[in-house]
Amino acid sequence: MKRAIKSLRAFAAASLVVFAQASAGAAAAYGQGAGKTSDAAEAAEAQERRLFDLALGAGGVMAADLGLVLLENGHVRNADRRRQICESVLSRLSSAPEPYPLAFATNYGNGNREGDRATGIAYYPADALSLRCRAAAQLLDMDAEAARFALLETEPGLELPKVECSLTVIPKVDVFYRTLAAVVSRAYSADERRGGMHWDAASRYLAGIRSPVEIVPACDMIMALDEPPAVRDRFALELATAVGRLDPSPRALFHMAGWEGQKLGSMPALVESLKASPDVQRSLVDALRRFAIASLAAPRCGDLSQEAEPGIVSDLNRLVFGSRPIVADELDTPTRTGAGAAYMLWTSPVSKRMMFAYQTLNTARREMPPEADRTAWKADYLKLLGELRDWTAVSERNDYDYVAQKGQLMAGMIENAYDDATRAEAVRDFGEMMRHANAARIPDHVMLLMTVLMFSESAPATRKAMLEGLRASGARGLSVYAALQLEGVDALRTGVDPPATVGVR
């Protein structure tokens, strides 16, 4: 990390000189007749500086995410600011809420804390691995050496946990291998490439694979690299050796080969691409077969369906093991073992009552004819809004349960609001709850997940009013996301409308 930061700082200092010289040259070239151009450039510079200051002012990991959003969407062009954002991101990795992205490993994706964790990180990739990869991807256009340091100081194996039956969410490391492919392809000089340094970088991670969740992303990386067949053979053999060392994992295999084989990614294409090197192809297929057979024979997680096994074997045989399909005689009936235990929400009497009341209200709205008298429904809405306002964390097991549950219901109430005044009232209540979430240190990506639910069916005029309410809420970070959204930056990942005014502050 120290080398990466040092490289970034040195490059930023040099870039300031270049930037200043380029600016002076441009001014001389345009002379006094460039008044209108200068005015436009000054306005653009002021807008960029305001967005930059807003994003970094969010604090913590939110600032890292927002800074990268500005870079990824082309809102910051100043070279020094771009590098400053990347440096800031790399300095904040230790405070990330999760070490890596997550994927559902069971059917328990809804109504539990694990679902919030995985979905929140999917919307707002502010886990340490994603932030590192996003920063490295931006650095590729600025400083290849800094990009390499930023990504390649990650240890092979990615410090991933063993994928056991007790897990309901498992690591999802596609972003790392996708970024690694970009670094290998773009971050080495011609001399370095002639010496094979870029191949060595890829080999380091292939040889260091420690978890089965890396297999498919590694196949995707190999196929993404435009390298000679001999190099692909080398990578495939390194992958085969690494797979041969893996412990069996029913959880990982069912996830990897589920959904009718769609999660196998580039694995079938990689195997097919090796047909001109039959020995290499056989080595990889054999390693994958052994892992699959051992995982199918290992004690089976209690939440993995035995009925799914024939389909998984069929897909693997059809897509990967065509030359050496798994046959019935190779399969043993596994014993059953424990299942993943999700931390379920909506368990307290109060939360159950609130959920039932909301579902009743929402169903009534959807089923009500357009011409129906809504007086009684509006009264029920106001009654529930008041009950939600009075709902405190005291009735729940902890602050997390309170925020996650109430946040979802408040988002639905905002969406169902029947006029602007009622919606504004609900948004104020939502902002008050998010200030409570700040105080209770609820992970930011969970707060943001609750927020994005508010915009699922909102019209542009409604969106603007809601965003203005969130901006005024005083909730740390969330108010900055709303402010940037109003500036035309898709900070909340809900799509943006053109800014209603220029220079919103």
Side-chain angles (χ1 to χ4, degrees), residues 27-48:
Y30 280 104
Q32 298 298 319
K36 291 184 179 180
T37 302
S38 297
D39 290 345
E42 288 178 5
E45 163 66 14
Q47 171 76 353
E48 179 176 308

Side-chain angles (χ1 to χ4, degrees), residues 218-351:
C219 292
D220 293 342
M221 180 198 69
I222 294 171
M223 292 303 294
L225 295 174
D226 184 18
E227 302 295 348
V231 176
R232 181 168 294 180
D233 290 352
R234 165 186 167 178
F235 291 161
L237 287 173
E238 289 166 341
L239 176 59
T241 300
V243 171
R245 293 194 303 263
L246 295 177
D247 293 331
S249 172
R251 172 76 77 215
L253 179 70
F254 271 62
H255 178 77
M256 179 171 62
W259 296 88
E260 298 183 353
Q262 293 178 23
K263 292 182 180 177
L264 292 172
S266 298
M267 186 190 296
L270 175 59
V271 170
E272 175 65 20
S273 74
L274 299 171
K275 61 184 179 182
S277 304
D279 291 342
V280 176
Q281 185 185 60
R282 187 179 306 109
S283 294
L284 180 58
V285 169
D286 285 351
L288 293 169
R289 283 182 87 258
R290 285 193 297 270
F291 172 76
I293 292 170
S295 296
L296 291 168
R300 183 70 51 80
C301 309
D303 53 1
L304 296 179
S305 170
Q306 183 69 25
E307 289 71 28
E309 180 178 305
I312 288 175
V313 173
S314 175
D315 287 336
L316 286 169
N317 284 342
R318 175 172 54 87
L319 296 171
V320 182
F321 306 148
S323 59
R324 290 196 59 207
I326 297 173
V327 297
D329 290 347
E330 296 178 279
L331 298 175
D332 297 324
T333 302
T335 60
R336 305 296 284 186
T337 188
Y343 181 100
M344 301 305 296
L345 302 171
W346 311 102
T347 60
S348 74
V350 175
S351 66

Side-chain angles (χ1 to χ4, degrees), residues 456-477:
S456 58
E457 296 182 7
S458 57
T462 300
R463 286 167 58 88
K464 180 177 180 295
M466 291 160 61
L467 288 167
E468 289 173 341
L470 293 176
R471 183 180 60 184
S473 69
R476 186 203 71 238

Side-chain angles (χ1 to χ4, degrees), residues 35-244:
K36 291 184 179 180
T37 302
S38 297
D39 290 345
E42 288 178 5
E45 163 66 14
Q47 171 76 353
E48 179 176 308
R49 186 167 57 250
R50 182 170 58 254
L51 297 179
F52 175 85
D53 291 341
L54 263 175
L56 295 192
V61 176
M62 282 185 163
D65 175 52
L66 286 171
L68 287 167
V69 167
L70 294 182
L71 296 185
E72 290 160 351
N73 291 280
H75 294 289
V76 175
R77 300 185 181 279
N78 177 278
D80 183 45
R81 291 194 190 103
R82 292 179 65 83
R83 289 158 182 76
Q84 187 175 339
I85 287 172
C86 291
E87 181 176 342
S88 176
V89 169
L90 294 172
S91 72
R92 297 172 191 260
L93 298 181
S94 62
S95 60
E98 301 279 356
Y100 32 69
L102 299 167
F104 296 130
T106 73
N107 294 324
Y108 304 128
N110 296 317
N112 58 65
R113 183 177 291 198
E114 291 76 18
D116 289 348
R117 289 172 62 202
T119 306
I121 286 294
Y123 267 100
Y124 302 98
D127 59 278
L129 187 63
S130 292
L131 289 175
R132 181 185 296 280
C133 291
R134 292 168 67 192
Q138 292 301 314
L139 286 168
L140 276 173
D141 294 326
M142 310 178 207
D143 179 357
E145 186 179 17
R148 281 158 47 181
F149 284 147
L151 188 71
L152 301 185
E153 70 175 4
T154 307
E155 288 297 319
L158 312 184
E159 300 183 2
L160 301 175
K162 188 174 181 179
V163 183
E164 299 178 324
C165 288
S166 59
L167 298 180
T168 55
V169 287
I170 61 177
K172 178 179 171 63
V173 298
D174 309 56
V175 65
F176 177 80
Y177 282 94
R178 187 166 57 248
T179 310
L180 179 59
V183 166
V184 169
S185 298
R186 298 174 51 196
Y188 290 84
S189 68
D191 286 343
E192 290 171 331
R193 295 181 70 82
R194 279 191 289 271
M197 284 183 62
H198 57 313
W199 298 335
D200 293 341
S203 293
R204 176 176 173 236
Y205 290 96
L206 291 170
I209 284 175
R210 297 291 184 270
S211 171
V213 303
E214 297 179 81
I215 296 174
V216 171
C219 292
D220 293 342
M221 180 198 69
I222 294 171
M223 292 303 294
L225 295 174
D226 184 18
E227 302 295 348
V231 176
R232 181 168 294 180
D233 290 352
R234 165 186 167 178
F235 291 161
L237 287 173
E238 289 166 341
L239 176 59
T241 300
V243 171

